[in-house]
Tab-separated table of all heavy atoms in Angstrom:
chain	number	residue	atom	x	y	z
A	240	PRO	N	215.098	109.346	-158.511
A	240	PRO	CA	213.773	109.040	-157.995
A	240	PRO	C	212.963	108.279	-159.081
A	240	PRO	O	211.957	107.730	-158.773
A	240	PRO	CB	213.231	110.434	-157.819
A	240	PRO	CG	214.541	111.345	-157.792
A	240	PRO	CD	215.537	110.553	-158.389
A	241	ARG	N	213.355	108.294	-160.323
A	241	ARG	CA	212.457	107.687	-161.357
A	241	ARG	C	212.501	106.129	-161.209
A	241	ARG	O	211.562	105.469	-161.640
A	241	ARG	CB	213.016	107.936	-162.796
A	241	ARG	CG	212.903	109.450	-163.108
A	241	ARG	CD	213.476	109.750	-164.467
A	241	ARG	NE	214.904	109.569	-164.357
A	241	ARG	CZ	215.779	109.775	-165.361
A	241	ARG	NH1	215.256	110.055	-166.514
A	241	ARG	NH2	216.985	109.629	-165.212
A	242	GLY	N	213.472	105.589	-160.582
A	242	GLY	CA	213.528	104.058	-160.388
A	242	GLY	C	213.215	103.684	-158.938
A	242	GLY	O	213.240	102.479	-158.755
A	243	VAL	N	212.714	104.514	-158.110
A	243	VAL	CA	212.419	104.116	-156.655
A	243	VAL	C	211.035	103.436	-156.635
A	243	VAL	O	210.046	103.947	-156.998
A	243	VAL	CB	212.616	105.410	-155.759
A	243	VAL	CG1	212.138	105.041	-154.417
A	243	VAL	CG2	213.906	105.952	-155.816
A	244	ARG	N	211.147	102.340	-155.965
A	244	ARG	CA	209.857	101.582	-155.717
A	244	ARG	C	209.570	101.504	-154.337
A	244	ARG	O	208.361	101.445	-153.876
A	244	ARG	CB	209.829	100.113	-156.145
A	244	ARG	CG	210.016	99.911	-157.775
A	244	ARG	CD	209.866	98.519	-158.113
A	244	ARG	NE	209.984	98.450	-159.609
A	244	ARG	CZ	209.792	97.295	-160.286
A	244	ARG	NH1	209.425	96.348	-159.475
A	244	ARG	NH2	209.920	97.249	-161.496
A	245	HIS	N	210.537	101.609	-153.467
A	245	HIS	CA	210.372	101.494	-152.067
A	245	HIS	C	211.144	102.545	-151.302
A	245	HIS	O	212.272	102.877	-151.810
A	245	HIS	CB	210.847	100.180	-151.464
A	245	HIS	CG	210.183	98.947	-152.217
A	245	HIS	ND1	208.852	98.627	-151.982
A	245	HIS	CD2	210.582	98.182	-153.098
A	245	HIS	CE1	208.549	97.622	-152.700
A	245	HIS	NE2	209.600	97.292	-153.375
A	246	ALA	N	210.619	103.171	-150.262
A	246	ALA	CA	211.265	104.212	-149.511
A	246	ALA	C	212.557	103.586	-149.020
A	246	ALA	O	212.581	102.328	-148.608
A	246	ALA	CB	210.473	104.650	-148.426
A	247	LEU	N	213.665	104.352	-148.971
A	247	LEU	CA	214.936	103.914	-148.455
A	247	LEU	C	214.844	103.391	-146.953
A	247	LEU	O	215.544	102.539	-146.691
A	247	LEU	CB	215.970	105.083	-148.589
A	247	LEU	CG	217.422	104.652	-148.256
A	247	LEU	CD1	217.944	103.537	-149.087
A	247	LEU	CD2	218.287	105.809	-148.311
A	248	VAL	N	213.969	104.057	-146.123
A	248	VAL	CA	214.023	103.797	-144.814
A	248	VAL	C	213.472	102.238	-144.656
A	248	VAL	O	213.840	101.555	-143.815
A	248	VAL	CB	213.183	104.662	-144.015
A	248	VAL	CG1	211.664	104.754	-144.433
A	248	VAL	CG2	213.380	104.499	-142.453
A	249	VAL	N	212.602	101.897	-145.562
A	249	VAL	CA	211.907	100.483	-145.505
A	249	VAL	C	213.008	99.491	-145.926
A	249	VAL	O	213.242	98.601	-145.256
A	249	VAL	CB	210.788	100.447	-146.331
A	249	VAL	CG1	210.280	99.000	-146.486
A	249	VAL	CG2	209.612	101.382	-145.892
A	250	VAL	N	213.861	99.853	-146.920
A	250	VAL	CA	214.785	98.985	-147.514
A	250	VAL	C	215.948	98.819	-146.286
A	250	VAL	O	216.371	97.648	-146.051
A	250	VAL	CB	215.518	99.494	-148.702
A	250	VAL	CG1	216.676	98.642	-149.139
A	250	VAL	CG2	214.434	99.594	-149.819
A	251	LEU	N	216.285	99.947	-145.671
A	251	LEU	CA	217.347	99.868	-144.666
A	251	LEU	C	216.848	99.084	-143.437
A	251	LEU	O	217.667	98.195	-142.804
A	251	LEU	CB	217.885	101.165	-144.342
A	251	LEU	CG	218.587	102.006	-145.388
A	251	LEU	CD1	218.778	103.394	-144.859
A	251	LEU	CD2	219.833	101.406	-145.748
A	252	ALA	N	215.696	99.234	-142.935
A	252	ALA	CA	214.992	98.525	-141.867
A	252	ALA	C	214.907	97.084	-142.151
A	252	ALA	O	215.339	96.293	-141.334
A	252	ALA	CB	213.600	99.210	-141.436
A	253	LEU	N	214.469	96.672	-143.254
A	253	LEU	CA	214.320	95.253	-143.678
A	253	LEU	C	215.766	94.518	-143.652
A	253	LEU	O	215.896	93.530	-143.176
A	253	LEU	CB	213.595	95.087	-144.941
A	253	LEU	CG	212.090	95.318	-144.816
A	253	LEU	CD1	211.540	95.299	-146.139
A	253	LEU	CD2	211.498	94.291	-143.852
A	254	THR	N	216.691	95.319	-144.226
A	254	THR	CA	217.957	94.800	-144.304
A	254	THR	C	218.600	94.696	-142.784
A	254	THR	O	219.203	93.505	-142.567
A	254	THR	CB	218.993	95.744	-145.127
A	254	THR	OG1	218.439	95.869	-146.482
A	254	THR	CG2	220.389	95.330	-145.197
A	255	ALA	N	218.312	95.555	-141.983
A	255	ALA	CA	218.864	95.543	-140.591
A	255	ALA	C	218.287	94.219	-139.964
A	255	ALA	O	218.890	93.574	-139.241
A	255	ALA	CB	218.565	96.635	-139.865
A	256	CYS	N	216.945	94.106	-140.078
A	256	CYS	CA	216.240	93.062	-139.555
A	256	CYS	C	216.713	91.633	-140.014
A	256	CYS	O	216.955	90.813	-139.243
A	256	CYS	CB	214.632	93.076	-139.846
A	256	CYS	SG	213.907	94.352	-138.932
A	257	ALA	N	217.062	91.622	-141.375
A	257	ALA	CA	217.661	90.375	-141.944
A	257	ALA	C	218.974	89.924	-141.288
A	257	ALA	O	219.343	88.906	-141.027
A	257	ALA	CB	217.653	90.564	-143.458
A	258	VAL	N	219.776	91.187	-141.259
A	258	VAL	CA	221.042	90.840	-140.629
A	258	VAL	C	221.080	90.423	-139.087
A	258	VAL	O	221.721	89.590	-138.655
A	258	VAL	CB	222.002	92.136	-140.764
A	258	VAL	CG1	223.239	91.992	-139.985
A	258	VAL	CG2	222.221	92.322	-142.252
A	259	LEU	N	220.116	91.007	-138.424
A	259	LEU	CA	219.958	90.610	-137.019
A	259	LEU	C	219.287	89.111	-136.944
A	259	LEU	O	219.652	88.426	-135.997
A	259	LEU	CB	219.027	91.562	-136.375
A	259	LEU	CG	219.507	93.004	-136.060
A	259	LEU	CD1	218.428	93.856	-135.530
A	259	LEU	CD2	220.713	92.896	-135.045
A	260	ALA	N	218.702	88.703	-137.921
A	260	ALA	CA	218.230	87.384	-138.058
A	260	ALA	C	219.250	86.402	-138.472
A	260	ALA	O	218.986	85.157	-138.478
A	260	ALA	CB	217.005	87.321	-138.941
A	261	GLY	N	220.351	87.021	-138.879
A	261	GLY	CA	221.631	85.956	-139.147
A	261	GLY	C	221.871	85.839	-140.528
A	261	GLY	O	222.784	85.013	-140.945
A	262	THR	N	221.424	86.576	-141.523
A	262	THR	CA	221.790	86.526	-142.861
A	262	THR	C	223.253	87.020	-143.020
A	262	THR	O	223.666	87.936	-142.291
A	262	THR	CB	220.752	87.337	-143.785
A	262	THR	OG1	220.977	88.626	-143.434
A	262	THR	CG2	219.501	86.752	-143.767
A	263	THR	N	223.931	86.511	-143.952
A	263	THR	CA	225.394	86.818	-144.169
A	263	THR	C	225.687	87.147	-145.469
A	263	THR	O	226.976	87.448	-145.866
A	263	THR	CB	226.241	85.654	-143.743
A	263	THR	OG1	225.957	84.576	-144.476
A	263	THR	CG2	226.066	85.433	-142.270
A	264	SER	N	224.789	87.288	-146.356
A	264	SER	CA	225.098	87.831	-147.763
A	264	SER	C	223.957	88.591	-148.306
A	264	SER	O	222.839	88.569	-147.770
A	264	SER	CB	225.271	86.578	-148.724
A	264	SER	OG	224.094	85.815	-148.829
A	265	LEU	N	224.216	89.300	-149.408
A	265	LEU	CA	223.064	90.003	-149.971
A	265	LEU	C	221.983	89.161	-150.617
A	265	LEU	O	220.812	89.507	-150.409
A	265	LEU	CB	223.694	91.038	-151.211
A	265	LEU	CG	222.715	92.045	-151.811
A	265	LEU	CD1	222.086	92.812	-150.663
A	265	LEU	CD2	223.585	92.846	-152.827
A	266	LEU	N	222.368	87.997	-151.083
A	266	LEU	CA	221.381	87.206	-151.571
A	266	LEU	C	220.469	86.585	-150.377
A	266	LEU	O	219.214	86.496	-150.605
A	266	LEU	CB	222.066	85.904	-152.265
A	266	LEU	CG	221.053	84.662	-152.842
A	266	LEU	CD1	220.131	85.347	-153.823
A	266	LEU	CD2	221.978	83.610	-153.324
A	267	ALA	N	221.175	86.375	-149.393
A	267	ALA	CA	220.434	85.968	-148.164
A	267	ALA	C	219.404	86.854	-147.566
A	267	ALA	O	218.329	86.677	-147.208
A	267	ALA	CB	221.399	85.366	-147.035
A	268	VAL	N	219.883	88.114	-147.615
A	268	VAL	CA	218.971	89.299	-147.172
A	268	VAL	C	217.824	89.374	-148.245
A	268	VAL	O	216.604	89.393	-147.644
A	268	VAL	CB	219.798	90.637	-147.241
A	268	VAL	CG1	218.753	91.768	-147.127
A	268	VAL	CG2	220.781	90.771	-146.185
A	269	GLY	N	217.830	89.293	-149.427
A	269	GLY	CA	216.889	89.259	-150.382
A	269	GLY	C	215.918	88.276	-150.135
A	269	GLY	O	214.602	88.307	-150.131
A	270	GLU	N	216.391	86.965	-149.881
A	270	GLU	CA	215.578	85.799	-149.528
A	270	GLU	C	214.736	85.968	-148.302
A	270	GLU	O	213.587	85.628	-148.284
A	270	GLU	CB	216.273	84.532	-149.570
A	270	GLU	CG	216.974	84.110	-150.876
A	270	GLU	CD	217.919	82.987	-150.856
A	270	GLU	OE1	218.326	82.625	-149.741
A	270	GLU	OE2	218.245	82.443	-151.932
């Protein structure tokens, strides 16, 4: 908890959206 900046649900939801948009790598998800 000391290092958490964003709720896990937000991170997972944004990652899911990025994958659905066609990203294929962790770097692409971050971008």
Side-chain angles (χ1 to χ4, degrees):
R241 293 177 294 180
V243 173
R244 290 186 182 188
H245 304 287
L247 183 61
V248 66
V249 173
V250 174
L251 295 175
L253 286 171
T254 302
C256 290
V258 170
L259 290 171
T262 62
T263 57
S264 69
L265 188 55
L266 177 62
V268 169
E270 291 172 348

